[in-house]
Each structure stands twice: as C-alpha cells, then as structure tokens.
Amino acid sequence: MRNAFKISFVLSALSLAAVGLASSRAAAPIPITFWHYVGQESGSRIIADFAREFNASQAQYAVKVVEPGDFKTMQIKLQAALASKGEVPNLVQIDNSFFTRLAVGGALNDLSSSVKALPKATLDDYDPTFWEYGDVAGKRYGLPWAGSTLVQFYNVDAFRQKGLAAPRTWDEYVKAARALTSRSAKGAIFFTDGWVFASMVSSRGGDILDAQKRPDFDSDKAMQSLQMMYDLSKGGQAIVRSFSEANFAVIDWVRTKAFLVTLPTSAYSVVKGSISFQVGAVPMPGKTLAGESQLVIPRGNSSEETAGAVAFWSYLTRPEITARFAKATYYLPVRQSAKKLLGDFANDPVMKAGLEALGNAYNPPRLNLYNDWRGVLEAQLERSLKGGVDPKAALTEAQRQALLLK
C-alpha cells in the first residue's frame, strides 16, 4: 500500500513537472531576427535600445538585432539566404531600389491583411510618400521605416567667406563650386549614384525613364545634368566619388577638401561629431526622389513570425519612437504626428531641409529591372566623370546596355 502511494505520488509529480515544462515552453517568446543596415554608431545604439524596450514591453516576441553590412551587402546576404532555402531573417531593412524586385519575384510575404488590421487613424498618420511605396500591384509588401531625401550640404563658414548664398538653383551650385575651388580644395563632391543623378534630372523637369517607363538615360535633361558635373570635374572644381569610396568622401568633407555635397539627410549622423565648421543644408532644386528603405518580411516566415515582425515594426513607428529615431539618425519621420514631436530639432538645418524636400519628393518606379538599370547608369556615370568619356557617349552607352536587359 505504501509503495503504491509512493508510485502514485511520483507519477503525479512527474505529471505536474511535465505540465509545468509544457507551460514554460508554450510561454517562451517567439524569436524575431531583425536585419538592418543603419550602421553608424548612433543608429546601432538606438535600434538596440528599441529592441530591448520592445522585448521588455511584452512577452510574446523576443527581437534580436543583426547588422549584416551596408545596403548592398544586405542585398547579397538576403539573396543568399533566400536561395539556400534555409533560415531567413524575420524582418529586413531593404533599399527601395531593390525592394520591387523582391516583391515582384515572390520573395516577400504579402502583408495586406496585417496592415488592414491596423486602425485607420494609424494608417492615415503615415507620410503618404513613404507609405505609398510599399504597395506593389495592390498588395502590401513593404512597411515604411527609415526614409530620407537628398539635400545639398554646404560649409557655411566657407560660403560666408566668399559671400555666397546657399545654392538653391543649379546655376548657383556651379557658381559656388567654382568660387570655392582653390589649390588645396575643390568646390564640390559628386557621387556617381543613380539616386543622386535621377534626382538631378528630375529637378530640371526631366526623368531617367520615358512615358512607357523604359530607360531614357540619354534625354536632354540627363545630358545637361551629366555635362554640368563633367565640366566641373574636368575643370578641377569637383571631386568625383563612387559608392565604394564613400569613406574617402567623408574625409574630404570633414577635412574641408570640398565644401558642397549632395547626400541623403541620414548621412549627416555619420560625420556630425567630426565636423569643426558650421553646416548648412538646402533641398535640391525642384522635384527629387524620396528614398532609403522599406522593412520587409521574406518568404519562409510563419504566420506567427510575420505577426511578431509586424508588431515590432508597429513599435518602431510609434510617434514617440519615430521622433527619437529621427533625432539620433537624421532619418525623416515616417509618421505625421512624429514631426510634431521633434520640437526644436525640426529647425535643425539638415532636418529642416530634408522635410522641405519631402514636400516635393516622389517615389522611384516599382519596376523589376529598375535596380539593374540603375547599376548600368552608375557604371557609365563613373566612366564619364572618372574616366573622361564624353557625357553623350557615356549616356548613349548606358541607354543601349539598359535596353538589352530582360
């Protein structure tokens, strides 16, 4: 009888332990891996803070932050993860130029139903330009987060010494670049980047695509834009840098080897702590491209993982979180209400110029080949501005190569 009681007691204890273990397992948070490329120190730190705060605020999900590299490295690593059919990240920051290819190619989860579950007041609060880009053929694949616009950064001290005003037209840009050039410094820095060049063309009232959304790289407005930079470069008034030379451009700017450069607002946080001169910023003239990124959920994620990724995105874009992110990184707020929370920071020259530019910005086209076309264009820009090839010949070749792509 006593042995039977002991056996019964042991079985009951084991049963309770099993129930407790099952309960513990059921209560374990679902891991959510978040890949981003906001690599500067301030951005890395605040995103890690956001993940910790989100994890502490609820018990259903546990976000882990990973930084694979810059946006081009991110593309390569994400493609490799998708091709291997192995473990993919749950939430990824992806550059707008690459976003459409992933969406059209079936590489991303459709988030339409997740978005529809959000309150209308919340949806209406997202900036329309940043919100609109994540929709492809009537389905929601991208979630706005780190948005930016191109602005003209200039060295206020150098401009003041020369009696120059902030350049709000291309004629003023050229005038400033020439006036600021000396034996020891160039007036401007130009990146052979498709986003910058496309914006230069559209700022003149043109487009790098025609009415049928095909490449129009050798249009009059494109020719004018490249010729301007070619003349400045050939005349010794501009430093030309490719994307791979971005770090050298930062050194050029910080060491006052040049005084005028076109970059996204988010670039400022990288150099802000190293600058000894007063920085000014104005929008590029006319209509320009909005940019940066979307957050996406790659295919292969379960419904539970998708829900967790969307929950973390919702947290990241809370108005107060969005405002903190903007102040730390100079990414523009993607929520209208967050702009009101910026306070005095809204009058920071870089943030003010970025928000002004956003009011006249448009999105790049959501075309499967757009990223490939951009690569062809950038190669020919570099060939002209660094290799001395005539602008017309370079853009004609870019047009020819782009039309061959399928």
Side-chain angles (χ1 to χ4, degrees), residues 184-308:
S184 60
K186 309 293 186 185
I189 303 171
F190 179 72
F191 278 97
T192 56
D193 177 84
W195 179 15
V196 174
F197 186 73
S199 289
M200 290 179 70
V201 175
S202 64
S203 75
R204 296 174 182 271
D207 200 327
I208 61 169
L209 302 182
D210 62 21
Q212 287 72 46
K213 299 302 178 185
R214 299 292 294 167
D216 196 16
F217 296 161
D218 54 356
S219 69
D220 289 343
K221 300 299 184 184
M223 291 289 186
Q224 291 171 18
S225 299
L226 183 54
Q227 189 69 52
M228 180 188 78
M229 294 312 306
Y230 181 86
D231 290 344
L232 288 175
S233 175
K234 191 174 181 180
Q237 293 127 8
I239 300 171
V240 178
R241 296 293 190 188
S242 64
F243 177 80
S244 62
E245 298 172 319
N247 288 337
F248 294 108
V250 169
I251 294 172
D252 294 335
W253 174 255
V254 171
R255 294 184 178 177
T256 64
K257 296 298 182 182
F259 306 99
L260 179 61
V261 62
T262 304
L263 288 171
T265 57
S266 56
Y268 185 49
S269 63
V270 179
V271 298
K272 183 180 179 182
S274 304
I275 292 177
S276 59
F277 50 85
Q278 184 179 348
V279 174
V282 290
M284 292 179 73
K287 185 179 179 183
T288 56
L289 282 165
E292 293 288 0
S293 62
Q294 298 282 307
L295 295 189
V296 300
I297 300 175
R299 69 166 187 258
N301 277 288
S302 67
S303 58
E304 291 83 3
E305 290 168 330
T306 296

